């Protein structure tokens, strides 16, 4: 069991994020400042070029988040981890990076970080916002709070449950899904829309270095959940 009194990392949220009640859940968040365009998302060295996934975990330190996704595994320096090719077929590293008020988790292949078995336990102490995609431009965006998925859909197709889930979208649309600054949800830019929603919900604009980097970070080996459709 994670000792959250010791491991939970609580930092002051940005002032604009606090004013809107946390998480940037209102469309007035950040006024009408432009959202990020994330032009690097499908670069050849991007985790999304290799069908990866990521999760933002609120008010949780990297070590505590990794203990949830890979309990009992050693936490190891992530420097150069993507240059390794000796992973078993059912395992892939989850890399952790602290961000203000959140921890970013990244797995370079599969949809482990958007799967129900992962996001629900991760969100028991608060909130998880996660995103995955594959090489066929299918995607899933998931918001979980207090141990349950509250919203799940494909940013390319908002009526769909998304990659790894199938079926219809889950939950009522988030207020931020109506933000006029969001990129329109067509198949060429749906992943950008997912990143913009992360930006609105967390108050953090992720960079290419945040998502693809490993230097100075830690990881644990975690299950690889391949895409079934």
């Amino acid at each position: 069991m994670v000792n959250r009194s010791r491991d939970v990392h609580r930092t002051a949220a940005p002032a604009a994020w606090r004013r809107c009640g946390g998480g940037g859940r209102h469309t007035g968040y950040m006024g009408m400042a432009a959202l990020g365009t994330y032009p690097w998302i499908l670069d050849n060295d991007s985790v999304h070029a290799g069908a990866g996934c990521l999760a933002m975990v609120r008010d949780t330190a990297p070590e505590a988040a990794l203990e949830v996704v890979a309990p009992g595994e050693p936490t190891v320096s992530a420097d150069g981890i993507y240059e390794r090719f000796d992973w078993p077929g059912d395992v892939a590293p989850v890399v952790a990076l602290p961000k203000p008020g959140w921890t970013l988790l990244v797995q370079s292949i599969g949809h482990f970080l958007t799967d129900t078995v992962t996001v629900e336990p991760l969100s028991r102490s608060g909130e998880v916002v996660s995103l995955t995609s594959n090489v066929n431009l299918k995607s899933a965006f998931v918001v979980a709070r207090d141990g349950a998925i509250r919203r799940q859909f494909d940013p390319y197709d908002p009526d769909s449950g998304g990659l790894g889930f199938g079926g219809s979208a889950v939950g009522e649309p988030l207020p931020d899904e109506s933000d006029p600054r969001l990129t329109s949800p067509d198949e060429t830019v749906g992943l950008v829309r997912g990143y913009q929603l992360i930006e609105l919900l967390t108050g953090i604009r992720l960079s290419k270095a945040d998502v693809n980097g490993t230097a100075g970070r830690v990881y644990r080996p975690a299950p690889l959940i391949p895409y079934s459709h």
Side-chain angles (χ1 to χ4, degrees):
M1 177 179 294
V2 177
N3 182 347
R4 300 193 189 282
S5 64
R6 180 188 64 209
D7 291 330
V8 170
H9 173 66
R10 301 187 182 277
T11 58
W17 184 86
R18 292 197 303 271
R19 283 197 298 271
C20 66
R25 296 188 188 90
H26 303 291
T27 55
Y29 171 68
M30 291 178 68
M32 291 302 292
L35 299 174
T37 57
Y38 304 94
W40 48 267
I41 286 178
L42 293 179
D43 288 354
N44 289 336
D45 59 348
S46 167
V47 297
H48 297 290
C53 54
L54 60 88
M56 294 286 281
V57 189
R58 185 175 173 182
D59 288 340
T60 304
E63 183 75 18
L66 290 172
E67 179 61 22
V68 175
V69 301
E73 295 289 342
T75 301
V76 184
S77 168
D79 290 359
I81 195 62
Y82 294 145
E83 281 70 58
R84 283 185 53 184
F85 298 98
D86 57 344
W87 298 101
D90 58 350
V91 171
V94 171
V95 176
L97 174 70
K99 300 295 290 183
W102 299 77
T103 282
L104 169 65
L105 300 177
V106 179
Q107 192 178 44
S108 63
I109 188 169
H111 64 97
F112 178 66
L113 295 176
T114 53
D115 195 273
T116 303
V117 300
T118 309
V119 296
E120 289 189 343
L122 272 175
S123 72
R124 284 177 186 149
S125 65
E127 182 174 11
V128 172
V129 181
S130 61
L131 177 67
T132 190
S133 68
N134 69 6
V135 294
N136 296 317
L137 295 181
K138 299 297 183 182
S139 185
F141 185 86
V142 180
V143 176
R145 297 186 185 119
D146 302 320
I149 290 177
R150 308 295 181 176
R151 181 70 171 131
Q152 165 203 311
F153 67 101
D154 185 344
Y156 298 126
D157 179 6
D159 294 327
S160 165
L163 181 66
F165 294 98
S168 300
V170 172
E172 293 297 319
L174 304 168
D176 288 305
E177 291 177 54
S178 300
D179 192 300
R181 294 167 293 167
L182 288 169
T183 304
S184 60
D186 64 61
E187 67 176 12
T188 61
V189 293
L191 194 56
V192 173
R193 186 179 178 89
Y195 270 84
Q196 290 173 335
L197 284 168
I198 290 173
E199 184 176 340
L200 287 168
L201 288 164
T202 67
I204 294 172
R205 182 176 297 182
L206 294 173
S207 69
K208 182 176 182 178
D210 289 335
V211 175
N212 297 331
T214 58
R217 303 173 200 186
V218 293
Y219 83 93
R220 288 192 187 188
L224 167 60
I225 300 180
Y227 298 104
S228 58
H229 54 274

